[in-house]
């Protein structure tokens, strides 16, 4: 089918309302929503889970399922109303003129079909091109998305590629027919921060090359700042603020936008001096929305009788570029007023060393034929290679690195879910590295607890919240009677700021943030000395993240807990950690206080990690470093320095030293450690990756 030539807006959504119909009621998911995407423009759609972002995207794709219906307004693509098109016209437009990239790449790929065939299908179905031409096009887009050895990739099956490579293939597939509009629904959520940076770079470059307009759905404001020209902030089914990136980031005119920015750890936030401000209350369910302003019950500027009197329309903000806000009071609010200082805290000095790791190694043996179809020879996976560090009472030590760097393996050995291959772990001077969890005494099990990444997977769906916490108290042999345990369970609910009535609720009745609080209560049930928090907030919304990190800090202050915080989100790490350990391919490559690790000199890998983190602040300038290639396999690590295959500083060393020898750990001023061959004179010349641009 030939493309429609059109010089007006690519996408015009006007006063759109979408509802889902159940047997009981109509559930309004999107109401009075308007946004326009001009040719070549990228518009970011941001907001918390459940605010209707993905529903808007599915509305554009006309893919709302059996229960979903557009009940008001219109969606025009190149001037034509999509709602009035026949199935045949929609089929021609979908995939050909409008393409969508989903959050989970495997949802878009056929696991039983080679990549080349999947890519070639697109132009063969939509444009009827020949096999040869389709192959040439497939080869071109796979080269465009910067995948190594494109011909080999075309012959591979999806499972033979990493997550980042799969997502690039999905982007290549979306671009095969050079669509006019590309919808990206959280396209990088499942990816590592360094892979995310490369994919985002790629999307921007390809958008320019193909002149594609984009609707970019995300809850990450930093990512939207780096990829989009304009932004639309959604709350509870409505657009509450729209405008150019500069206007909305620097001159926000809606209380929800302001509250969102105050709950994310931008540079300058500090857990003691300038804590984050979590948004009070909870997101309203679609059938329980308040009268008037949906954000009213959680708003600092709410006024009884006006804010909840009637529906509120979008109002234009004079003098700005198509900047509008759904707020009655935006003209009278003092937007430059300093934040009402949240409670400030004294910096607590860490106590004695509780945990000491010395030359810890964890290797796995894998049958080579299980992976390569060969003899029964064994291969060794070196998941952790000579880890050494100490953690003190009341200290937060962050462990950062990409997937596959050995962060979670080390946590499993510490918990006793695995035993060490070599080296030692001392808990209060007692060796625990060779004791599996079932052989540990109750006290040791209670002392080392874990909060997991996904709160949905860690609770028993058939047990009430209270019962799950009491069960942990029984295992830790707490109290002498059921009454004592029930009382302690209620105190733990108080500790994690959940209403005591929640003891009777089932997990399915809780939101993600509430479930994570139950997980934290359970971890602290036995008076844990050390809590391993494995990405504890990455599955949660931005506003909920602030509340949960705040909670962890508060409990740490009162209980003097040692927190080992595993994360790849360096913004949160900078905000809450006292010391940082950077891991790459099983090795600790850098270690120091947070200030040391976030300022030059850096390990080349830390430098790339810092550059990759999207920061939602227009006054920040970052050095642009994109890592080439994927992380090598732990089964077949490179010789010499583990990072040498991706290092941009390698030629400063010379003599092939990086390829030959693993660098020694060097201790610099004030205990800052680096595992790197770079000469001190080169390290001294390193400049900051993140700079504040002077006004």
């Amino acid at each position: 089918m030939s493309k429609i030539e059109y010089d007006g807006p690519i996408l015009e959504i006007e006063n759109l309302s979408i509802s889902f119909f159940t047997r009981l009621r109509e559930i309004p998911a999107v109401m009075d929503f308007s946004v326009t995407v001009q040719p070549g423009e990228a518009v970011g759609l941001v907001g918390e889970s459940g605010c209707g972002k993905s529903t808007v995207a599915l509305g554009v794709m006309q893919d709302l399922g059996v229960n979903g219906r557009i009940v008001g307004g219109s969606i025009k693509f190149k001037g034509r109303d999509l709602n009035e098109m026949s199935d045949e016209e929609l089929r021609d437009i979908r995939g050909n003129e409008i393409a969508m990239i989903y959050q989970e790449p495997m949802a878009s790929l056929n696991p039983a079909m080679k990549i080349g065939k999947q890519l070639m299908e697109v132009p063969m179905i939509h444009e009827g091109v020949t096999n040869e031409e389709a192959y040439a096009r497939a080869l071109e887009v796979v080269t465009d998305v910067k995948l190594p050895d494109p011909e080999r990739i075309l012959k591979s099956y999806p499972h033979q590629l990493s997550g980042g490579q799969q997502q690039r293939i999905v982007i290549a597939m979306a671009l095969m027919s050079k669509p006019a509009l590309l919808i990206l629904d959280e396209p990088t959520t499942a990816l590592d921060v360094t892979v995310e940076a490369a994919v985002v770079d790629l999307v921007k470059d390809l958008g320019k090359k193909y002149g594609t307009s984009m609707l970019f759905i995300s809850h990450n404001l930093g990512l939207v700042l780096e990829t989009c020209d304009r932004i639309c902030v959604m709350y509870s089914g409505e657009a509450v603020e729209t405008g150019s990136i500069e206007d909305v980031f620097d001159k926000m005119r809606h209380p929800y936008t302001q509250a969102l920015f105050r709950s994310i750890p931008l540079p300058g936030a500090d857990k003691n001096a300038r804590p984050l401000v979590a948004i009070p209350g909870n997101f309203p369910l679609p059938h329980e929305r308040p009268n008037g302003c949906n954000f009213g019950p959680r708003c600092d500027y709410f006024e009884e009788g006006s804010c909840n009197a009637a529906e509120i329309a979008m109002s234009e903000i004079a003098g700005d570029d198509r900047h509008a806000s759904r707020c009655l009071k935006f003209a009278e609010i003092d937007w430059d007023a300093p934040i009402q200082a949240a409670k400030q805290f004294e910096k607590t000095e860490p106590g004695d060393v509780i945990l000491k790791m010395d030359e810890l190694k964890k290797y796995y043996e894998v049958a080579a034929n299980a992976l390569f179809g060969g003899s029964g020879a064994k291969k060794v996976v070196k998941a952790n290679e000579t880890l050494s560090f100490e953690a003190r009472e009341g200290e937060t030590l962050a462990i950062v690195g990409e997937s596959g760097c050995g962060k979670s393996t080390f946590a499993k050995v510490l918990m006793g879910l695995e035993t060490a291959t070599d080296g030692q772990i001392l808990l209060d001077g007692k060796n625990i590295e060779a004791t599996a969890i079932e052989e540990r005494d109750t006290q040791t099990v209670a002392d080392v607890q874990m909060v997991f990444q996904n709160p949905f997977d860690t609770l028993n769906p058939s047990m009430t919240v209270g019962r799950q916490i009491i069960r942990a108290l029984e295992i830790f042999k707490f109290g002498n009677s059921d009454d004592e345990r029930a009382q302690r369970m209620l105190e733990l609910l108080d500790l994690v700021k959940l209403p005591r009535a929640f003891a009777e609720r089932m997990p399915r009745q809780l939101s993600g943030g509430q479930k994570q609080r139950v997980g934290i209560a359970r971890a602290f049930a036995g008076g844990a000395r050390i809590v391993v928090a494995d990405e504890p907030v990455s599955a949660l919304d931005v506003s909920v993240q602030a509340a949960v990190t705040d909670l962890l800090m508060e409990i740490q202050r009162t209980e003097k807990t040692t927190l080992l915080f595993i994360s790849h989100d360096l913004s949160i790490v900078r905000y809450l950690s006292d010391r940082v350990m950077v891991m790459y391919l099983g090795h600790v490559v850098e270690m120091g206080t947070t200030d040391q690790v976030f300022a030059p000199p850096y390990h080349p890998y830390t430098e790339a990690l810092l550059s990759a983190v999207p920061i939602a602040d227009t006054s920040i300038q970052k050095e642009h470093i994109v890592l080439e290639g994927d992380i090598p396999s732990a089964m077949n690590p490179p010789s010499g320095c583990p990072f040498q295959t991706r290092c941009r500083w390698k030629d400063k060393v010379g003599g092939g030293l990086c390829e030959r020898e693993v660098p020694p750990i060097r201790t610099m001023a004030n205990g800052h450690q680096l595992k790197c061959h770079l000469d001190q004179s080169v390290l001294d010349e390193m400049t900051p990756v993140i700079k504040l641009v002077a006004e």
Side-chain angles (χ1 to χ4, degrees), residues 109 113-119 153-154 156-158 161 169:
L109 295 172
M113 199 173 176
K114 287 184 176 166
I115 298 292
K117 198 154 190 289
Q118 297 192 50
L119 289 170
I153 294 267
L154 292 180
S156 305
Y157 286 99
L161 308 182
I169 289 298

Side-chain angles (χ1 to χ4, degrees), residues 4-12 36-40 77-79 213:
I4 309 159
E5 289 302 317
Y6 185 71
D7 57 3
I10 296 295
L11 182 70
E12 281 175 288
T36 302
V37 184
Q38 298 291 349
F77 173 71
K78 292 187 174 178
S213 303

Side-chain angles (χ1 to χ4, degrees), residues 3 95-99 174-182 210 212:
K3 304 278 170 98
N96 183 29
E97 292 251 25
I98 305 178
L175 292 167
M176 275 302 280
S177 55
K178 302 187 173 58
L181 177 68
L182 187 56
Y210 292 115
T212 308

Side-chain angles (χ1 to χ4, degrees), residues 435-482:
T435 319
I437 193 159
E438 50 273 19
E439 288 155 23
R440 289 187 177 181
D441 59 62
T442 307
Q443 191 54 51
T444 307
V445 173
D447 277 347
V448 186
Q449 283 293 303
M450 192 154 181
V451 177
F452 295 91
Q453 178 168 2
N454 196 339
F456 305 93
D457 296 343
T458 54
L459 298 181
N460 182 334
S462 58
M463 230 188 236
T464 63
V465 164
R467 183 73 202 112
Q468 307 209 29
I469 298 173
I470 288 173
R471 181 88 190 88
L473 291 167
E474 288 168 356
I475 291 168
F476 299 143
K477 300 188 169 60
F478 178 91
N480 298 317
S481 66
D482 288 350

Side-chain angles (χ1 to χ4, degrees), residues 289-300:
R289 290 190 177 108
N291 290 331
C293 175
N294 283 345
F295 188 59
R298 306 173 75 189
C299 179
D300 292 343

Side-chain angles (χ1 to χ4, degrees), residues 625-646:
I625 305 159
V626 172
L627 285 182
E628 296 298 324
D630 285 319
I631 301 182
S633 157
M635 202 166 354
N636 192 14
S639 58
C641 170
F643 188 59
Q644 55 99 349
T645 55
R646 302 166 84 194

Side-chain angles (χ1 to χ4, degrees), residues 11 76 140 198 215 591:
L11 182 70
K76 288 182 180 163
E140 182 194 351
L215 190 60
M591 187 155 165

